[in-house]
Amino acid sequence: MFMFSSAFRSSKRSSNAIWIPSSSSSSSSFSNLYTNGFPLKNNSFSLSHPRSFSIKVSSSSTTIAEPEGIKITSVPTKPIEGQKTGTSGLRKRKFYLLQVKVFMEENYLSNWIQSLFNSLPPEDYKNGVLVLGGDGRYFNREASQIIIKIAAGNGIGKILVGRDGIMSTAAVSAANGGFIMSASHNPGGLEYGWGIKFNYNSGQPAPESITDKIYGNTLFISEIKMAEIPDIDLSHTGVTNYGNFTVEVIDPVSDYLELMETVFDFQLIKSLLTRSNFRFAFDAMHAVTGAYAKPIFVDKLEAHLDSISNGVPLEDFGHGHPDPNLTYAKDLVNTMYSEEAPDFGAASDGDCDRNMILGKKFFVTPPDSVAIIAANAQEAIPYFHGGPKGLAQSMPTSGALDRVAEKLGLTFFLGYILQTPWYFCSRFLLAGNLMDAGKLSICGEESFGTGSDHICEKDGIWAVLAWLSIIAYRNKDKKPGERLVPVSNVVKQHWTTYGRNFFSSYEECASEGANKMIEYLRDLASKNKAGEKYGNYVLQFADDFSYTDPVDGSVASKQGVRFVFTDGSRIIFRLSGTSSAGATFRIYIEQFEPDASKHDMDAQVALKSLIDLALSVSKLKGFTGREKPTVIT
C-alpha cells in the first residue's frame, strides 16, 4: 500500500508502510510554501513558446461513475504495440529511447498509466496518496495532467505533484509510491526522449513482477478511466479538491532539504563553503537539480550565488546533454582544469540521480568516489556515526570499494544492480532489497551513480553533500587563510591506504554489430580456460556474470562478459540500454596498483596495454566499424 506519512521518509529506512487516507485532516508537510528558492518572477520553470503538438485522446467516452462529485468516464482504447515496460517504467521501444512524439500519440501514455493501475491490487492504491514529479523536460507538464486525471479516475485519494511538475528522482524515491517523469541523463526537447518510471511501496523502482503485469495489461487494454476535472495550475503551490480527490502542488525542495539535514552536518559544510580561500562550483546542467541547487547550496549553506551554473531547469536542458561526465559536462571540466579553477566542482544529471566530482585539475572516478565516501562516512557524516552496515556496487565498478569493505570488516555485495539486456535495467531494485533487510548502507555504480539507504535510489545531491562533508571534516581545524586539504590529497591519501584501482570506461552507441560482438565475446569466454595467455596477461577466469540476490533469491543473468587476469586486472564488456540513440556497448578496464610511486600516472597511460588488449579481443572495429568508442572516462 502506498505510504506518504510525512512527505518524505525518515532518514532511517523502514519497509513498514502506513496508509494515510486522503480524507485525513492533517496536511502533508509538503504544504509548506516555497520561500527560499529562486524568485518565481526571475526563474519560472514554465516556457512560453507554443506547442508544436497537441495531446490526442479519444473523444468517444461513457460515464461510468460519479463518486462524490467526480465524473469518471470510460474512454475506449485499444492496445498499442511496443509498450514493453523496462527500467521500472516505459522508456524504450526496440533499441531506441521513446521520443516525445510517441508519447503524444493518441492514448499512448494513457494506455500505460491505466495498465499500471489495472496491474495493482485495488487495496494498494484506492484512497491512497501518490507522488508525481519529473526532471522538467519537454512534455512533463502535459503528461502531469493526463496522469492526474487517470489517477483520479481509478480511485486515488490524493496526488502530491511538484510545482511545474518538477521533482528529482531522489525526492520522489524518498516517498512511498509515485511516478517519475524522466528519460534520465538523455537530452530533452520535441525531437528527443521522454520516459516515465514507477516507484512502488518502499520508494524502490517497481519490481519485474509488476512491470511484467503492466506490459501484459497493455496487450489487452480496452478502456481508460478518466476523471473529468480541469487541468491543474502547476505553477503555484496549493491544494485543489474535486469531491473526494485532492491535488496538492508542493514545493519540491523543502522536505528533501529537511531530510538532507538529518543526514549531514550542515554547519560543518557551511564552515567550508563560507571560507574565503575555498571556491565551489556546481553545474546543474539546466536539469532538475537547478531547482535544488540554490535553495540548498546558496540559501542554506551560504555558497556564493555565482557558484551555481546552468541553474534554471529548461525543457530542452539548454540544448545540452545532461549527463555528468567528462564528455558532456565539458564546461565544468574546462573550468576545473583552468589556471583559476575552483577548489571543488560537481555536476548532476537530468533527474539528479547521477553525479560527477572534480577537484582542481583532478577528476574523481565513480568507483573511487563511492569508495572514498564509504571510507570516510563514519567520521564525516552524522547519519553513519555507528558505521555503515554494508557496502555494495555494480559488477563493472572497480575493486576500490571491495578493499574498503575488507579493511573495515563490512559485508560486501557485488552486482547489486540488475542490469540485464537492453530491454530491462532496473537500477537499485536489488540494492533496495538489501537496504530493507538492513544489510546495506552505501552503494555505487560505474556510471556516476552513488547512493545510500536514506532512500532507495541513487542521489546526486546526496553524493555532492557527502563529498563536501569529507572535505569540510578534513579541514575543520584549519585556521582562516591556512592552506586547505584539497580533493586531490583526499583521493591520494586514500590510494596510499588502499592502493589505486586504475579504472576507465569506454562507451559506444550500439548497432547490430555490437549485438554480434557481445555474442562473440560470450562464446569466447565460455571456451577460455584458466592459464591462457592474453599478451602479457594470464587469464584467471572468464565468464558471463550472473547475480543471485541474497534476500529474495532472484537471479540476474547475462550481466556482462568478464575477463579477469591473475594480477587482478579486469576487462568487462556489457551491452545496456540507457542511451538516447540506442543501446550502449561499454568496455570497463581496471588494473590494481599497490605501489604508491605509480599512483600519479594518468589512467589512460597506466591502462594502455589493457585498453589495446580490450579493443583487440572485442574486435571492435570489425564489428562496429569504429576505431575506438565515442565516450571515454
Side-chain angles (χ1 to χ4, degrees):
M1 188 170 293
F2 300 124
M3 178 185 79
F4 213 90
S5 57
S6 60
F8 280 97
R9 70 174 69 246
S10 163
S11 62
K12 296 298 182 183
R13 281 179 48 82
S14 171
S15 60
N16 297 321
I18 303 174
W19 171 46
I20 303 297
S22 62
S23 59
S24 172
S25 60
S26 60
S27 63
S28 161
S29 61
F30 266 128
S31 60
N32 297 328
L33 293 178
Y34 179 73
T35 58
N36 62 347
F38 290 110
L40 289 176
K41 63 181 181 180
N42 295 326
N43 191 43
S44 172
F45 299 139
S46 302
L47 297 183
S48 59
H49 63 75
R51 300 289 169 187
S52 301
F53 284 75
S54 60
I55 307 303
K56 298 177 181 178
V57 179
S58 175
S59 59
S60 176
S61 61
T62 305
T63 300
I64 58 175
E66 292 189 18
E68 298 188 36
I70 303 178
K71 184 177 181 180
I72 310 299
T73 60
S74 173
V75 179
T77 190
K78 58 184 179 180
I80 299 174
E81 184 182 358
Q83 292 199 311
K84 176 65 179 177
T85 301
T87 321
S88 75
L90 185 60
R91 293 172 66 183
K92 300 174 187 68
R93 173 192 286 173
K94 297 184 179 178
F95 282 108
Y96 296 93
L97 195 76
L98 287 171
Q99 288 187 310
V100 172
K101 295 176 185 178
V102 175
F103 281 94
M104 299 175 92
E105 293 173 2
E106 183 176 6
N107 290 346
Y108 192 91
L109 174 60
S110 300
N111 271 19
W112 190 84
I113 298 295
Q114 182 62 60
S115 295
L116 186 150
F117 284 114
N118 292 346
S119 302
L120 300 174
E123 60 269 21
D124 272 12
Y125 63 87
K126 290 290 186 180
N127 299 316
V129 183
L130 277 177
V131 185
L132 173 62
D135 57 13
R137 70 177 56 238
Y138 188 90
F139 185 62
N140 276 13
R141 285 180 285 127
E142 295 87 341
S144 296
Q145 304 295 344
I146 294 173
I147 295 166
I148 288 169
K149 291 172 184 177
I150 297 176
N154 282 271
I156 289 291
K158 185 173 185 177
I159 288 278
L160 297 169
V161 56
R163 188 180 55 242
D164 287 304
I166 284 181
M167 195 179 297
S168 73
T169 286
V172 177
S173 298
N176 288 40
F179 292 102
I180 303 169
M181 301 175 292
S182 173
S184 189
H185 53 283
N186 294 294
L190 181 59
E191 301 300 323
Y192 292 99
W194 196 85
I196 184 163
K197 297 183 285 185
F198 175 61
N199 281 5
Y200 202 43
N201 56 4
S202 288
Q204 81 276 26
E208 190 171 2
S209 60
I210 290 177
T211 57
D212 283 348
K213 288 181 181 178
I214 297 171
Y215 176 57
N217 280 313
T218 67
L219 302 177
F220 300 99
I221 188 170
S222 61
E223 70 164 352
I224 301 162
K225 298 175 184 177
M226 184 84 69
E228 291 192 10
I229 58 176
D231 283 356
I232 304 298
D233 180 1
L234 300 179
S235 63
H236 299 89
T237 58
V239 178
T240 304
N241 294 303
Y242 295 101
N244 62 349
F245 175 68
T246 301
V247 179
E248 184 175 352
V249 180
I250 58 176
D251 166 24
V253 180
S254 59
D255 288 277
Y256 174 80
L257 172 56
E258 184 178 328
L259 174 62
M260 291 299 98
E261 290 183 279
T262 69
V263 175
F264 299 102
D265 182 345
F266 269 41
Q267 285 301 122
L268 177 65
I269 299 173
K270 185 189 294 186
S271 71
L272 175 72
L273 292 178
T274 55
R275 281 181 175 268
S276 61
N277 59 340
F278 184 84
R279 292 173 57 217
F280 168 67
F282 182 82
D283 188 350
M285 305 189 83
H286 285 304
V288 73
T289 321
Y292 294 78
K294 182 178 179 293
I296 294 175
F297 295 123
V298 177
D299 297 337
K300 193 70 178 181
L301 294 171
E302 299 185 10
H304 291 292
L305 181 61
D306 61 7
S307 300
I308 311 299
S309 61
N310 302 317
V312 179
L314 299 176
E315 290 188 328
D316 62 358
F317 304 118
H319 303 291
H321 191 145
D323 193 356
N325 58 42
L326 296 176
T327 298
Y328 296 123
K330 196 63 178 175
D331 289 348
L332 177 64
V333 173
N334 289 340
T335 296
M336 295 305 299
Y337 277 82
S338 68
E339 290 304 316
E340 300 299 322
D343 299 278
F344 183 93
S348 187
D349 73 326
D351 63 335
C352 192
D353 66 353
R354 298 185 181 205
N355 72 92
M356 179 172 68
I357 303 297
L358 296 154
K360 186 177 293 188
K361 296 186 178 183
F362 194 89
F363 168 60
V364 183
T365 68
D368 276 342
S369 180
V370 66
I372 291 167
I373 290 173
N376 291 272
Q378 187 169 4
E379 284 184 330
I381 303 173
Y383 180 81
F384 301 106
H385 67 88
K389 295 186 286 288
L391 307 177
Q393 68 182 34
S394 61
M395 179 273 292
T397 307
S398 85
L401 190 61
D402 309 42
R403 299 180 186 282
V404 173
E406 182 179 4
K407 190 173 185 65
L408 298 183
L410 298 174
T411 304
F412 178 76
F413 301 93
L414 176 65
Y416 71 91
I417 295 178
L418 178 59
Q419 292 186 337
T420 53
W422 67 271
Y423 55 82
F424 192 81
C425 177
S426 181
R427 296 181 181 276
F428 270 64
L429 172 58
L430 301 182
N433 287 344
L434 295 170
M435 289 174 178
D436 284 337
K439 298 177 181 292
L440 175 60
S441 291
I442 297 173
C443 46
E445 61 171 350
E446 76 290 345
S447 55
F448 295 83
T450 322
S452 87
D453 61 348
H454 69 290
I455 60 172
C456 187
E457 252 292 1
K458 299 173 294 182
D459 188 344
I461 291 286
W462 176 90
V464 176
L465 291 172
W467 263 96
L468 288 173
S469 297
I470 293 167
I471 301 300
Y473 183 81
R474 293 292 184 93
N475 290 286
K476 62 184 176 66
D477 296 325
K478 297 288 185 181
K479 297 178 181 178
E482 191 175 352
R483 178 180 170 82
L484 301 180
V485 177
V487 170
S488 58
N489 280 24
V490 171
V491 176
K492 290 176 182 180
Q493 289 169 13
H494 181 88
W495 292 341
T496 299
T497 302
Y498 295 95
R500 180 176 181 184
N501 288 78
F502 284 102
F503 179 83
S504 183
S505 66
Y506 280 45
E507 297 184 10
E508 173 61 58
C509 287
S511 62
E512 185 61 31
N515 289 283
K516 293 179 180 178
M517 180 164 59
I518 198 71
E519 290 302 325
Y520 160 76
L521 288 166
R522 284 173 179 150
D523 181 64
L524 181 64
S526 69
K527 295 176 180 177
N528 275 233
K529 297 179 180 179
E532 293 191 21
K533 284 197 170 184
Y534 281 77
N536 296 324
Y537 299 90
V538 178
L539 187 70
Q540 181 178 348
F541 68 86
D543 67 0
D544 194 357
F545 182 70
S546 177
Y547 173 73
T548 301
D549 187 275
V551 178
D552 64 14
S554 58
V555 178
S557 59
K558 294 186 176 181
Q559 299 294 285
V561 180
R562 300 187 296 177
F563 291 82
V564 180
F565 303 101
T566 53
D567 67 346
S569 301
R570 300 189 308 166
I571 302 174
I572 297 169
F573 304 93
R574 189 171 66 85
L575 193 65
S576 68
T578 55
S579 165
S580 59
T584 301
F585 186 78
R586 291 186 170 95
I587 304 174
Y588 305 97
I589 300 155
E590 175 189 359
Q591 180 171 295
F592 178 66
E593 179 55 71
D595 187 349
S597 68
K598 298 179 181 180
H599 286 171
D600 286 335
M601 291 179 65
D602 181 89
Q604 299 301 311
V605 174
L607 295 171
K608 186 178 186 308
S609 61
L610 270 177
I611 293 169
D612 291 343
L613 179 60
L615 298 178
S616 173
V617 168
S618 65
K619 298 186 177 180
L620 180 74
K621 183 177 181 180
F623 280 109
T624 69
R626 297 276 189 173
E627 292 284 351
K628 61 181 181 179
T630 53
V631 178
I632 301 173
T633 55

